[in-house]
Each structure stands twice: as structure tokens, then as C-alpha cells.
Amino acid sequence: MTTTLKPETADQVREAVQWAGGNETPLEVVGSGSKRAFGRPTDLAYTLELRALTGISLYEPEELVLSAAAGTPLAEIERALAGANQQLDFEPPDFRRLLGIDDGGGRGGTLGGAIACNFSGPRRIKAGAARDHFLGFKAISGRGEDFKSGGRVVKNVTGYDLSKLMAGSWGTLGVMTEVTVKVLPAAEKTRTVLVMGADLTAAVEAMTVALRSPYDVSGAAHLPAGLTGTSEVSYVREAGGAVTAVRIEGPGPSVEYRCEVLRRELGRFGQTEELHGMNSSLFWAEVRDLIPFAGAGDRRIVWRISIPPQSAPAVVDRLAGRAGADTLLDWGGGLVWLAVEAADDAAFDEVRAVVAETGGHATLIRAAEEIRAAVPVFQPQADAVAALSRRIKAGLDPLGVLNPGRMYAGV
Amino acid sequence: MKMPEPDREVIERRAAIATALREIVPGEGVIDDLDERRAYEADGLTAYQTIPMLVVLPETTEQISRILRYCHEEGIKVVPRGAGTSLSGGALPLEDGVLLGLAKLNRVLDIDYDNRCAVVQPGVTNLAVTQAVSGEGFYYAPDPSSQIACTIGGNIAENSGGVHCLKYGLTTNNVLGLEVVLIDGEVFRIGGKHLDAEGYDLLGLLTGSEGLLAVVTEVTVRILRAPETARAVLIGFPTSEDAGACVSAVIGAGIIPGGMEMMDRPAIKAAEEFVEAGYPLDAGALLIVELDGPETEVDDLIARVEGIARKHNALTTRISENEEERERFWAGRKAAFPAIGRISPDYYCMDGTIPRHQLPKVLARMNELSEDYGLRVANVFHAGDGNLHPLILYDANEPGELEKAEKFGADILRLCVEVGGVLTGEHGVGVEKRDLMGAMFSEEDLNQQQRLKCAFDPASLLNPGKVFPTLHRCAELGRVHIHGGKTRFPDIPRF
Ligand SMILES: Cc1cc2nc3c(=O)[nH]c(=O)nc-3n(C[C@H](O)[C@H](O)[C@H](O)COP(=O)(O)OP(=O)(O)OC[C@H]3O[C@@H](n4cnc5c(N)ncnc54)[C@H](O)[C@@H]3O)c2cc1C
């Protein structure tokens, strides 16, 4: 039986961590649990869940800054931002459908969780990752002590940038209680140029042309023929072949102009179409949340592979031959989503080896618990880096009470 | 400013250390001569000077690894240095330390337009990166005013910014990969040509670590395609308050300009006399707003910015007609520091950041302090992101003036923290702001940071004496204190 502690204040979080340290009882740290089915399983008797630690404490649209308790639902954050025509520019994805966690639709996850996992959506190529929008935090370390770093301003080099370290640390270094993020104006207009029927190599080339242009592309994805059928956007669903998509956002006249030029330049890769407004937003939300791999019966293993964009054709070529394999490209080819049969356990070594050659990394996003316990979920690190990670963990959480083993065994 | 007590025993071994280093870096790579060493005695914070025990100028990562391993084994301190333009004393040498100059590693190794990145050695200057890629219409976005001289390695160490970082980010937002060497000589890579290095974000942690954690030996940066057009607007306002309100209104209207800089009356005057940029001399404050993108977008946004400026009492607006004029508008701002240098025997450049709406309060208080200390101050300001550069004018030949200027500066920085801002926006803590860290951080906050230092450099040999006001031993920092109530279950809602 797992006991779940739901602190409502930072003081209670501190108490819980101190108790855990005093009794050498590790805690599973979660926001609302929207990404629980990802990462190495922890199997601990106590869970520290932060969803009761909520509330926006500061939001100044003209200063582009927002602070909130770490457990504040992303839904609440995004509602507040939309009221001032702003947004989290890194497009935090919602993987609940992909991971088969259904807690009632809408927008899942907490702000603290989005940052602790450092997942970013298609706009990553232009706007940066979650970590690039993360300005400061208050947290309780594994030692049960309060610490903070950063602040509420963007320009800040006072001391080490611990915000970067906390982003993507999966709750293994500290329990964040309050986070401050940079927010940005939402684009006035969004449109998407679709190129129909390009094969993978041509698609990467087309996306490269767009990304090398001065037209400030904010999304570049490729869905091969088999993956377009689930889209709610009819242009995509009824494409009857592969779809390569390039997103343009900004002030109205500028978007119209850039779309027109890009359509002309991309015409040589296939017939082009254009998605406007809602259709464009819907399509990118599907890419962001990986809806093509989130079908009800889909139990395939899903990998998230970050590589130099130009390596995509070769990497896909070597991996796509596996039984039941599908690939979807985002970030102009720099992010390859790969699905393979659940029983294909020979894929692990091969995926890791192929990806390692490019210098990139592969993360196991969806897999049965036994697999995630047996296979490294994150790309294994070079010895020197792994040793350094262990020393960092030992410094901030010497008793190993915060999410031990969530990322790597022994960290 | 108290630096760590020099280790006499190490200084006595100077000749032997020089010999050992010469085995690693032959020929002229080891500088022993006093006069030649003197060239390295200070960085851009010239008030502090120390002649380094020895200077070594390696040319390869392998040499750097061997130098560090040797120094580590022998317990010798090492201070990395790029171009020495730091304004916080980050590259201030130590009497008992080896100064590790990285300027000879100055090659651009790879330009990869299709993957939109460039791989360079740490001694390549910031501007040289842009120059290397501008032929294809690309550029490297962070552009510190010192970009002709400062190195990418130094930019990484300081997480440097520039006038375009409002829209395009600081160094940390534009770096994809690093090769670094730890103090024990271990070499490793993080990141590369792909996005989001996995595991703990060491890339983010190393950027802005002021040379205390590792020596950077190779850098992969993101390069961007230059926009089709960029135009700058000069807007004169009666007061800084009006200019500040205009900045807020522009951002509130959903416009993020490529750059948005502000100067106050003394700075306008000094810059105009120096470079004749065409600044309005009757204005109490000047904004330079740059809009970039396609022609249609730039036209549209300039019209909107002009409209907003008018509502905020703008006295004059001038829009750059061509590239040459745009560059002239910027020339005044980029030369603001040397321009001030012409009207005062010395100046002391500060670097706090504040929440923008606090500007009127901070400027008013700064004027009071200026009266109290009897020292003039000029302000240039990265207005879009609240990063202030007050320049305190003083004369080092007047007894006590330097101390007065430093005190004035410290008061300004404490004021920045008080109103919700920070001690340094882009110049770093170094030695300069080291003893002010307590104004922003608690003991425990600083201990956490030092625990990271311990993870990289437990003997504290790399750039010691910088950033942290008090150094604790790693053994002491590592100790675990079990808190009371060992078994009492916390009184927290549970399920
Ligand atoms: C006139 C003037 C204008 C300036 N304008 C700006 C500005 O607009 N924006 C801004 O952000 N800064 C500005 N600066 C400050 C300065 O130029 C930057 O901090 C710059 O990044 C320092 O680079 P550098 O190569 O000179 O480094 P140095 O001064 O040599 O060293 C700075 C720090 O970096 C460390 N270091 C250097 N190289 C390495 C390496 N390879 N590995 C590890 N550590 C290393 C050093 O130990 C030191 O702590 C300005 C300075 C001057 C003099």
C-alpha cells in the first residue's frame, strides 16, 4: 500500500522531506501524476504529491513574468495567460493520452511538473525549451532545507544557474514549491504550410529550406502516410499520403507574406496547402501531444530521439524497418518519435547504438513497467558525466530520499 | 576585497612548476617573465590587480587536460582567462595561481548551416562567429558590446547578453554543446548538434559558472538566419519615467522588439559628443527600439511603436532609413562606456536588474545617492529586460574616490535586490559583487551552490576567491544533519 502525502504549504513539504530523511524513507515526488507512467518506476511506499500546493502568486503581463505554487495546474496557468493574450512559449506537451493516463480530458499536468521534466513542444526550435523560460524557484532540498535560486527577471547571472539544473531533474534534486517563469505574448496569427506527399528525405530537405530561411518558422514536422488518419484536421486526415508541415506565427500581414513566400519555395517538394487559425492550432497540438501514437489500442513502445536534424533520414532508415515501426518527425527532423512493437526487445540496443553515432540521445517514453525497470529509460551517460551526476545528487540529496532511481539507478 | 591567502609553499616552487608546464606546452606557451606576466594582471575591472605566478597559453584540449591534471595533483590554483574583458574581476589572477589563457584556441572548427550551428574553440571572439557565418546570411545572436574582443569561452563563463537578447536570448539560450575539462584533467562532452542535452542540465549549469566548475575547450552554438530587414527608431522623451512607461506599453501590446535600449540625459550627451549618432540632445531619456523581420512586419510594428510613443509624450522620433543609419543609431549605445570614459577620468560600470516598473523609484533613489556621495552617474539600460548599467563617474587619483564609487555601486545593487531584482544581469559576480551575495541569498542558498562546486572541484583549485563570500570545506558542506522528530509522522493531509 502506498501512502500519499498531499502537502498544502511549503512548510508541510519541508516537514515531509525532513521526516523522510530522518527515517531514511524515500519519497516518490509527483505533481499530479500526469507523467507517472514515464521514467524508471520507483515502487516506493510513500508518495509526495504536490497538487494541493496551488495558486498563482504573481502575474505581471507587461513584465512577462508569472510565479505560482509548483502544483498549480497548467490548465489554470494557461487560462490566466490567455486572459492577457499570453502563453507559455515552450508549448508544454500533455502526454496523458499517449501514456494511457486518463483523468478526464482537458489540460493535464502541473507547472512544476512541466518544468521538472523539461519537455517542450514543436516551438522548441524557435522559442527554446521549458528550461529557457524558467527564471527562478523556491525548493526544499533532500536535506530538508529551503533553498532558492534565480529570481523574477530574465537577465540574471547572480550565482550558478540552478534553475537549469532543476529543470529536467525529475524531482531528484529538490522539491520545488514555487516556480517563476517567463511568459510571452501569444502570436496574433498562426498559419501552417502543408507540403503533400514528400518522402522522408525530401521532407527533411523541405523543412531545412524553411528553417534556413529568414521566415522565422516556429514548427516543422513530418507525418508519413500511415500517421495522418487520426488527425481531426480534415486536410491532414484526407491527405492520402505523407504531410510535411511548417508553422508561421506573428503579426497578421507578416504571417501572410511569409506563408506566401514559403509556399512558393516549398512547391518543388509537392503540392502545398495552408492551414489557418483553429486548424493550425489543432494540428500542432496533435503533434505536441503525439496523438498519432496515442490510439486507444496502441501499446507499442515509444522512443523520443533527439539528434542533429540532418541525421534523421539515416536514423529513420535504419530503425523504420522493424516490425510495426512508425516514425514521426518534429523539430525539422531533430526530434524523431519512433514506435516499435511491444515485443520487440531487440530494438533497445539497436536504437541506442544508432542514436549514439549521431551524438544524440534516445529516451524510452512509453513502455510497460517491467521494461522500464529493466532497460535504461534515459540514454546511458559517459562514465565521467554519470559520475558527476551522482556527485551532484549526493550533494543536494545525500540520503537519496527524493525520487531515487527515477532517472538513473543510483541517482 | 580579501582574496584567499596565497600559498607561500606553492610560490616557492614557481621555477619547478614552470619547468613542468613547459613539458606540456613547449616554447613560448609558458610565460615566466615578470613584465610579460604583468600584461595579465587585471581584466576589465581594472581597480583590482594581481600579477599571476605564471601564465600558460595552451593550444589543444589535450594540453589543457594535462595542465589541469598536473595542477590538481600538485595543489596549484588555476584561473582561466579568455580576452580579459570581464567587468567583475572574474579573470583576476592569483599570486599563487597559474593563469590559463585560452586565446590561442581560436579556430572555427565547423559551420553546419543545415543543422544551424557552428562549432568553435573557446578563444574565438564573439564577433568572429557572426563574421564566419554572415556570408550565408546567418549570425550568432548574443552580442555583448565587447564583441570585437571578448571570447566565446568567456561568454559561456559569464552567460553574456547583448542588446538583442530581449528577443533572442542570452548565451545560455544559444548554446547547444560543450567540451569541457574538469580540474582533474577529465575531458567530456555535453550536448552537441541536437537539442536538449539529456540528464541533469550540465550545459545550463556550466553556462554562467564564471570559470569555477570546468574549463570550456569547445563550444557548439546555434546560429540564426538574419531577418530580411531591421530598422531602428530613436525616440526622445522628456523624462525616464515616460520612456519606461512606453517600454511597458510596447510589450503590453504584444510586441517584442529585436532590441529596446534606453539612455538617460548624461549618457545621451556623452555618446552624442563621442560618435555623433544623431541623438536628440534636448531629451531627458532616449529609447532605441529595433524591429526586425520582413519589411511588411517591420513597417507595421514601427507604426505601432510610434503610436504608443506618442501617447507617452515622445518629443522626437527618427526611423533609420538604411543600414548605415541603423548602425549609427546603435554605435552611440554600443560606445556608451568609452564615451563616458572621455568625460570622466574613471568610471565604474554597474549591472543590476530590476522589475521594469520599479525604474522610476530606482532612478529617483539613485539621484539621491549621487547627491549624497557627490559623484555623478549616467545610465544606460537594457530597457526591455530591466537590466541597468549605471556608470559612476569618479577620479581614482582623488584619495578616497574609488572607495566612494564602490560604496555607491554597492548601494545601487542592494537597491536592485530590494525592489525585487538581482545583483548582476550579465557581467557576473566575480570578485566585485562577491561580498554582496548575502543581500540576495541565504546561507543555505549559497551552501547549495557550493555543494555543486564540490561536485566539480572538491579541492577548490579552479578560480577560487570568486563568486562566494565565504568558502566552506566540502567535507563540512557534505555533512548531513538529521532534523528533529526522527520518527514522528508529519501532520500533513494523507491518503
Ligand atoms: C566595454 C565593455 C563592454 C561590455 N559589454 C558587455 C555586454 O554588453 N554584455 C555582457 O554580457 N558583457 C559585457 N562586457 C563584459 C565582458 O565582455 C563579458 O563578460 C565577456 O563574456 C568576457 O569574455 P572574455 O573572453 O573577455 O572573458 P574573461 O574576461 O577573460 O573571463 C571572464 C570569466 O570567464 C572565465 N573564462 C574565460 N574563458 C573560459 C573558458 N574557456 N573556460 C572556463 N572559464 C573561462 C574566466 O575565468 C572569468 O571568470 C563588456 C565589457 C567591456 C569591457
Side-chain angles (χ1 to χ4, degrees):
Chain A
M1 257 308 285
T2 305
T3 305
T4 301
L5 302 176
K6 274 197 188 180
E8 287 160 1
T9 63
D11 287 338
Q12 291 180 343
V13 174
R14 186 188 322 102
E15 250 185 87
V17 177
Q18 289 184 352
W19 172 83
N23 292 281
E24 289 176 49
T25 305
L27 301 170
E28 181 200 19
V29 184
V30 298
S32 62
S34 72
K35 300 172 196 73
R36 199 182 224 148
F38 165 78
R40 297 183 77 240
T42 46
D43 189 25
L44 299 171
Y46 290 89
T47 294
L48 184 66
E49 191 181 88
L50 295 160
R51 73 162 101 205
L53 201 67
T54 63
I56 296 173
S57 50
L58 174 140
Y59 176 32
E60 291 173 8
E62 291 189 351
E63 305 251 346
L64 307 175
V65 64
L66 177 144
S67 303
T72 310
L74 273 179
E76 184 180 333
I77 304 283
E78 290 182 341
R79 214 162 30 240
L81 293 175
N85 245 325
Q86 294 191 331
Q87 64 187 12
L88 295 171
D89 232 23
F90 60 95
E91 283 190 300
D94 185 347
F95 288 147
R96 286 175 310 163
R97 267 176 75 184
L98 178 73
L99 297 176
I101 300 174
D102 207 35
D103 56 355
R107 181 69 158 124
T110 62
L111 182 60
I115 286 165
C117 306
N118 194 33
F119 280 140
S120 321
R123 205 182 287 107
R124 169 69 181 92
I125 48 172
K126 168 173 187 269
R131 55 88 98 170
D132 294 295
H133 298 258
F134 183 32
L135 302 180
F137 65 88
K138 290 182 185 157
I140 314 292
S141 74
R143 297 167 174 271
E145 285 164 339
D146 294 37
F147 73 109
K148 64 173 182 302
S149 179
R152 52 161 291 180
V153 293
V154 174
K155 288 287 275 294
N156 179 10
V157 295
T158 323
Y160 298 143
D161 193 350
L162 298 197
S163 302
K164 297 285 183 301
L165 193 62
M166 294 300 279
S169 69
W170 289 87
T172 59
L173 296 178
V175 183
M176 291 189 280
T177 53
E178 187 183 274
V179 295
T180 299
V181 290
K182 171 175 150 183
V183 297
L184 282 165
E188 255 167 54
K189 199 171 220 161
T190 156
R191 282 194 184 175
T192 298
V193 173
L194 300 181
V195 179
M196 304 307 203
D199 66 19
L200 184 85
T201 310
V204 171
E205 206 183 311
M207 292 191 285
T208 303
V209 166
L211 287 165
R212 280 188 65 160
S213 80
Y215 304 122
D216 215 11
V217 167
S218 73
H222 173 73
L223 275 63
L227 294 183
T228 52
T230 53
S231 181
E232 288 189 35
V233 179
S234 58
Y235 275 112
V236 176
R237 188 174 61 245
E238 288 153 19
V243 170
T244 309
V246 170
R247 178 170 62 182
I248 307 293
E249 297 174 295
S254 166
V255 170
E256 282 161 29
Y257 161 78
R258 287 181 282 151
C259 265
E260 194 190 305
V261 194
L262 275 172
R263 271 188 89 162
R264 239 184 354 251
E265 288 188 12
L266 299 181
R268 65 183 160 104
F269 296 99
Q271 189 203 326
T272 62
E273 294 287 350
E274 218 169 281
L275 300 181
H276 291 194
M278 270 307 291
N279 270 341
S280 180
S281 305
L282 201 58
F283 173 78
W284 289 102
E286 290 174 354
V287 173
R288 181 194 71 190
D289 298 345
L290 207 64
I291 297 304
F293 290 172
D298 195 342
R299 294 276 173 278
R300 287 177 300 171
I301 288 172
V302 174
W303 291 90
R304 180 179 186 269
I305 300 173
S306 177
I307 49 173
Q310 300 307 312
S311 317
V315 166
V316 172
D317 192 48
R318 286 175 62 185
L319 297 174
R322 309 200 75 91
D326 268 322
T327 50
L328 183 156
L329 268 49
D330 195 0
W331 298 356
L335 183 65
V336 176
W337 290 100
L338 168 74
V340 294
E341 284 304 340
D344 185 5
D345 46 15
F348 300 120
D349 294 338
E350 167 121 34
V351 169
R352 287 269 152 70
V354 168
V355 170
E357 279 172 34
T358 71
H361 54 79
T363 313
L364 191 55
I365 292 284
R366 182 176 71 192
E369 201 169 309
E370 316 83 75
I371 296 178
R372 284 182 285 119
V375 174
V377 168
F378 294 92
Q379 183 92 10
Q381 297 180 306
D383 291 347
V385 182
L388 195 51
S389 300
R390 283 194 296 273
R391 294 201 294 274
I392 290 173
K393 168 78 173 178
L396 270 61
D397 179 22
L399 299 166
V401 291
L402 304 178
N403 267 350
R406 186 91 164 82
M407 297 179 78
Y408 304 99
V411 168
Chain B
M1 179 63 51
K2 227 170 106 30
M3 292 304 281
E5 203 56 47
D7 187 335
R8 293 291 146 209
E9 188 265 333
V10 168
I11 296 173
E12 275 163 25
R13 287 189 299 157
R14 210 175 77 86
I17 296 168
T19 308
L21 291 176
R22 280 206 176 92
E23 297 218 332
I24 303 172
V25 186
E28 314 209 314
V30 176
I31 299 176
D32 191 7
D33 178 76
L34 180 65
D35 280 338
E36 286 179 53
R37 277 186 284 141
R38 206 186 293 280
Y40 296 90
E41 68 184 357
D43 59 18
L45 185 70
T46 48
Y48 295 88
Q49 294 154 6
T50 307
I51 297 173
M53 178 175 70
L54 287 165
V55 178
V56 55
L57 305 172
E59 292 178 44
T60 66
T61 300
E62 204 236 317
Q63 289 176 348
I64 294 170
S65 165
R66 287 176 61 198
I67 293 166
L68 292 180
R69 184 172 310 129
Y70 167 78
C71 289
H72 183 241
E73 279 163 7
E74 299 289 319
I76 302 162
K77 296 167 189 149
V78 179
V79 177
R81 175 182 166 114
T85 66
S86 165
L87 291 171
S88 57
L92 178 70
L94 296 168
E95 220 183 305
D96 58 343
V98 169
L99 189 80
L100 182 71
L102 295 148
K104 283 194 176 173
L105 286 96
N106 62 358
R107 281 183 304 134
V108 174
L109 300 173
D110 178 19
I111 298 173
D112 185 344
Y113 295 108
D114 280 345
N115 285 315
R116 299 166 298 280
C117 60
V119 184
V120 301
Q121 292 189 316
V124 172
T125 63
N126 173 291
L127 187 62
V129 179
T130 289
Q131 284 168 342
V133 299
S134 59
E136 293 282 321
F138 280 75
Y139 72 112
Y140 173 60
D143 56 341
S145 303
S146 51
Q147 69 187 143
I148 306 176
C150 68
T151 67
I152 285 290
N155 291 175
I156 299 280
E158 303 286 11
N159 188 15
S160 302
V163 295
H164 290 98
C165 62
L166 173 63
K167 185 167 174 185
Y168 298 103
L170 305 153
T171 300
T172 191
N173 311 113
N174 290 279
V175 182
L176 296 173
L178 294 178
E179 178 191 76
V180 298
V181 187
L182 295 183
I183 186 71
D184 63 6
E186 182 113 48
V187 183
F188 64 87
R189 289 176 169 276
I190 33 184
K193 290 183 175 181
H194 57 282
L195 296 173
D196 296 342
E198 217 188 28
Y200 291 148
D201 188 357
L202 302 179
L203 200 61
L205 179 63
L206 284 163
T207 308
S209 65
E210 304 199 21
L212 267 72
L213 298 183
V215 174
V216 175
T217 50
E218 192 189 292
V219 186
T220 305
V221 296
R222 204 160 76 107
I223 51 172
L224 300 180
R225 180 69 187 266
E228 284 186 317
T229 339
R231 273 151 77 196
V233 198
L234 284 184
I235 315 170
F237 291 92
T239 67
S240 298
E241 280 81 357
D242 293 316
C246 179
V247 169
S248 290
V250 167
I251 289 175
I255 302 169
I256 307 290
M260 186 145 58
E261 295 288 307
M262 186 165 147
M263 296 163 79
D264 70 358
R265 191 188 298 272
I268 299 170
K269 187 160 175 288
E272 183 59 21
E273 281 168 3
F274 187 32
V275 299
E276 294 174 20
Y279 293 169
L281 287 168
D282 55 343
L286 174 73
L287 274 189
I288 312 174
V289 186
E290 179 162 297
L291 286 315
D292 59 7
E295 191 86 40
T296 45
E297 175 170 342
V298 172
D299 287 346
D300 174 39
L301 293 181
I302 283 189
R304 286 203 238 173
V305 168
E306 270 192 298
I308 294 168
R310 235 174 289 128
K311 281 199 204 120
H312 288 88
N313 311 325
L315 301 168
T316 54
T317 46
R318 254 184 75 193
I319 301 165
S320 65
E321 297 289 340
N322 49 47
E323 261 312 277
E324 194 215 321
E325 193 170 29
R326 183 183 73 89
E327 274 166 21
R328 186 141 33 87
F329 286 2
W330 279 119
R333 165 62 188 87
K334 288 206 172 180
F337 298 178
I340 296 292
R342 288 172 76 237
I343 61 165
S344 170
D346 298 283
Y347 69 91
Y348 184 33
C349 172
M350 308 309 297
D351 169 48
T353 306
I354 56 169
R356 242 184 302 104
H357 67 269
Q358 298 281 9
L359 183 65
K361 180 172 166 184
V362 170
L363 288 180
R365 180 78 192 117
M366 220 187 288
N367 284 334
E368 286 168 23
L369 289 167
S370 166
E371 301 251 312
D372 292 352
Y373 283 102
L375 294 175
R376 287 178 300 160
V377 59
N379 267 291
V380 297
F381 186 32
H382 301 299
D385 40 33
N387 187 193
L388 288 171
H389 290 313
L391 301 159
I392 300 170
L393 281 52
Y394 72 100
D395 182 351
N397 288 328
E398 290 289 320
E401 277 223 339
L402 169 64
E403 289 71 27
K404 244 190 340 184
E406 286 185 332
K407 269 200 164 144
F408 183 3
D411 283 349
I412 294 175
L413 296 184
R414 274 191 220 99
L415 174 63
C416 291
V417 175
E418 251 168 62
V419 302
V422 300
L423 292 173
T424 171
E426 57 182 14
H427 294 169
V429 177
V431 291
E432 187 204 16
K433 291 155 220 128
R434 187 189 74 183
D435 294 345
L436 289 173
M437 288 288 270
M440 205 170 132
F441 294 114
S442 72
E443 174 92 23
E444 192 47 37
D445 298 339
L446 291 171
N447 285 349
Q448 291 293 23
Q449 298 194 26
Q450 289 194 47
R451 286 187 184 113
L452 294 169
K453 168 75 169 165
C454 293
F456 285 82
D457 174 23
S460 199
L461 291 172
L462 203 52
N463 218 3
K466 319 285 169 74
V467 182
F468 298 110
T470 32
L471 281 179
H472 297 289
R473 296 190 155 278
C474 289
E476 181 193 332
L477 286 166
R479 219 166 281 146
V480 181
H481 305 276
I482 302 284
H483 291 272
K486 190 166 162 42
T487 48
R488 190 178 60 83
F489 198 76
D491 187 18
I492 296 170
R494 74 185 88 133
F495 302 87

